[in-house]
Amino acid sequence: MSKLREISQLGNPVLRQTAQPIEDISHPDIQKLIDDLLTTVIAANGVGIAAPQVAASYRLLVVASRPNPRYPHAPLMTPTAMLNPQIIAHSTQVVKDWEGCLSVPGIRGLVPRYQTIAVEYTDREGNWHRQELTDFVARIFQHEYDHLEGMVFLDRVESQEELITEEEYQRLLVAK
Ligand code: ZN
């Protein structure tokens, strides 16, 4: 049975650590962690989550784009757990868009990200993948990958004026 895990909030040192590689993907604790991350991200209306966000400092992230109240325009995809992920190439083109984070509640910021990235990862069955990701899904990956490096989106916001509250963000969405 999967269970909801508590989400680490900004200020918790686990969010500032470099996460460690996963050596034994089939280990029951790792498989349980994946199940719990999938359950937790959906329950929290997230579109992605990284293991350090539930205080597990491992190189594991979930990309789970789908339309929800926090991101009404997100594309729908099957939630995917990516273990030991890497960014192996990226476009020169960078796009800025609003991001939020389950570990930084109530705040949105304009974050520059590569529009397209090539990534490699191992799935939960141990199969190796190389994939190209673009736009919103590429943004999610880069956001979650930062968590594995001890970074949060606030670190990439270029101006304090590009930080807004969740309430103002919702107002912008309605105005669109
Ligand atoms: Zn985050």
Side-chain angles (χ1 to χ4, degrees):
M1 280 290 284
S2 65
K3 68 169 172 61
L4 287 179
R5 296 213 187 185
E6 191 184 332
I7 295 172
S8 308
Q9 304 287 293
L10 184 68
N12 187 322
V14 73
L15 293 173
R16 293 309 190 174
Q17 290 168 12
T18 304
Q20 54 176 316
I22 298 172
E23 275 155 31
D24 185 1
I25 287 169
S26 62
H27 194 287
D29 290 350
I30 295 296
Q31 293 293 321
K32 176 79 168 73
L33 176 60
I34 294 168
D35 288 337
D36 292 352
L37 283 170
L38 290 167
T39 301
T40 302
V41 71
I42 300 300
N45 284 324
V47 289
I49 195 167
Q53 289 184 276
V54 297
S57 197
Y58 288 111
R59 301 190 81 78
L60 160 59
L61 58 86
V62 168
V63 178
S65 177
R66 65 188 181 113
N68 69 44
R70 289 181 72 244
Y71 295 94
H73 307 296
L76 181 65
M77 63 174 280
T78 307
T80 308
M82 303 177 176
L83 294 91
N84 301 323
Q86 282 186 293
I87 299 171
I88 54 166
H90 61 77
S91 59
T92 49
Q93 197 168 3
V94 168
V95 274
K96 258 186 177 182
D97 207 347
W98 295 105
E99 289 184 20
C101 179
L102 298 174
S103 297
V104 188
I107 301 284
R108 299 279 180 149
L110 265 185
V111 184
R113 300 285 188 191
Y114 298 118
Q115 186 165 29
T116 302
I117 52 174
V119 305
E120 289 177 354
Y121 65 91
T122 305
D123 67 24
R124 65 183 301 175
E125 275 90 41
N127 302 307
W128 183 82
H129 296 261
R130 176 177 287 173
Q131 228 174 302
E132 197 168 273
L133 307 175
T134 60
D135 297 325
F136 191 66
V137 177
R139 176 171 297 278
I140 297 171
F141 186 103
Q142 290 170 84
H143 176 115
E144 303 312 334
Y145 184 85
D146 275 353
H147 281 302
L148 308 185
E149 297 294 316
M151 285 183 74
V152 296
F153 78 96
L154 300 172
D155 305 336
R156 294 195 184 274
V157 170
E158 292 171 328
S159 158
Q160 305 287 312
E161 291 175 16
E162 292 174 334
L163 289 171
I164 64 173
T165 65
E166 180 69 27
E167 206 178 323
E168 282 297 325
Y169 173 73
Q170 293 296 334
R171 212 164 281 163
L172 281 181
L173 280 182
V174 173
K176 257 185 191 174

